[in-house]
Amino acid sequence: MNRLMIAMVTAAMAFSFVPAMAQPDLEPNSYAAMGCMKLRECTDGVIRLRSVDQLIKQYGDSDFNQYKEEIQRMLESLETAGVQVFLADPDNFPRTHRGTYYTDTNMFFLNSGYVYNAEVFMKVFRHEGWHAAQDCMAGSIDNSMIAVIYNDELIPQPYKLDAQIRYGMMAPKAIPWEQEAIWAGNVPNMTADALDSCSTKTMWSDYTPTPMTAEWLTNNGYIQ
């Protein structure tokens, strides 16, 4: 084999064995790890969730079957609306985070260290799904805004108190959105109904916008 052929073969071999980009080495259970997951640069232990069967396979828990219709309905509405759902290993979250929804990327991530139990899964899934519905209420799933869906006086008092306890010290400004999501997390099909409205683009006819949201939607050309 002449020198030119040897050089060509050597170059081809080198090109063929270029290693894949390694996952960033970040401190586990940190906000940096969660941000890396959001950017889809950290993908170890992060899987796209598309069906109830995945949950049963992941956790070996047939109790998920009792929620099968609601889960599948939510997954399909989220898919239609353009929202992706992921299960992720606990190392990708700060220790107290059970899940998170991002309005700018339209993704939400569920902490597999918490949601192995079907009842807990449903509360977290409904909760984060409600934030996606709030994203829809704010004009479009494609923007990064979020709006409450119900007037404050309609929120049952126990969920208001729960939100105060959870967020009153660290994030009091989040309470209006979180008290709704806590409520939805405890009510079967409440989130599924809202996500149906989101996916069919009937949000503002199915749910009357609050006065402040209506003003925002009108000023930004979403409604007349």
Side-chain angles (χ1 to χ4, degrees):
M1 185 180 293
N2 64 36
R3 291 181 180 179
L4 177 60
M5 288 297 294
I6 292 172
M8 291 173 65
V9 170
T10 301
M13 290 176 66
F15 182 81
S16 299
F17 292 98
V18 173
M21 292 294 290
Q23 174 154 307
D25 183 16
L26 298 170
E27 180 183 355
N29 304 123
S30 65
Y31 283 99
M34 190 163 69
C36 184
M37 176 177 64
K38 172 191 175 183
L39 295 174
R40 304 293 292 135
E41 294 175 0
C42 293
T43 57
D44 287 356
V46 182
I47 61 171
R48 180 82 179 273
L49 181 61
R50 298 180 185 274
S51 74
V52 179
D53 292 337
Q54 284 178 268
L55 294 169
I56 296 171
K57 182 178 180 180
Q58 177 89 357
Y59 299 119
D61 186 353
S62 60
D63 286 349
F64 284 98
N65 273 321
Q66 67 182 301
Y67 301 109
K68 185 169 186 175
E69 184 177 346
E70 184 178 0
I71 294 171
Q72 205 61 44
R73 182 181 166 203
M74 289 172 63
L75 287 171
E76 289 172 7
S77 290
L78 287 162
E79 179 80 21
T80 301
V83 177
Q84 297 180 356
V85 183
F86 297 87
L87 280 176
D89 286 350
D91 284 354
N92 295 288
F93 299 86
R95 294 191 187 280
T96 58
H97 280 54
R98 297 186 301 170
T100 186
Y101 172 72
Y102 293 106
T103 60
D104 55 345
T105 61
N106 304 127
M107 297 178 185
F108 71 78
F109 299 87
L110 304 173
N111 185 334
S112 62
Y114 284 95
V115 299
Y116 55 85
N117 173 276
E119 289 186 9
V120 174
F121 172 86
M122 287 311 301
K123 287 188 176 183
V124 180
F125 189 37
R126 291 167 181 158
H127 183 115
E128 299 305 333
W130 190 262
H131 288 317
Q134 290 172 332
D135 192 359
C136 274
M137 175 57 82
S140 168
I141 204 78
D142 296 322
N143 67 28
S144 58
M145 305 301 293
I146 193 167
V148 296
I149 295 175
Y150 289 107
N151 286 304
D152 183 77
E153 62 269 18
L154 297 177
I155 311 297
Q157 192 64 23
Y159 304 120
K160 289 185 177 184
L161 292 175
D162 195 347
Q164 288 285 348
I165 292 167
R166 292 195 205 182
Y167 302 98
M169 293 293 290
M170 295 184 298
K173 291 183 178 179
I175 288 174
W177 295 272
E178 294 297 342
Q179 63 188 14
E180 279 192 356
I182 294 169
W183 179 21
N186 285 277
V187 179
N189 292 303
M190 180 173 168
T191 298
D193 289 342
L195 291 175
D196 281 351
S197 296
C198 176
S199 66
T200 57
K201 302 185 185 303
T202 58
M203 200 78 200
W204 309 313
S205 58
D206 295 340
Y207 300 87
T208 303
T210 66
M212 288 184 65
T213 299
E215 182 180 359
W216 155 262
L217 293 170
T218 301
N219 290 343
N220 287 274
Y222 291 110
I223 60 176
Q224 301 299 318

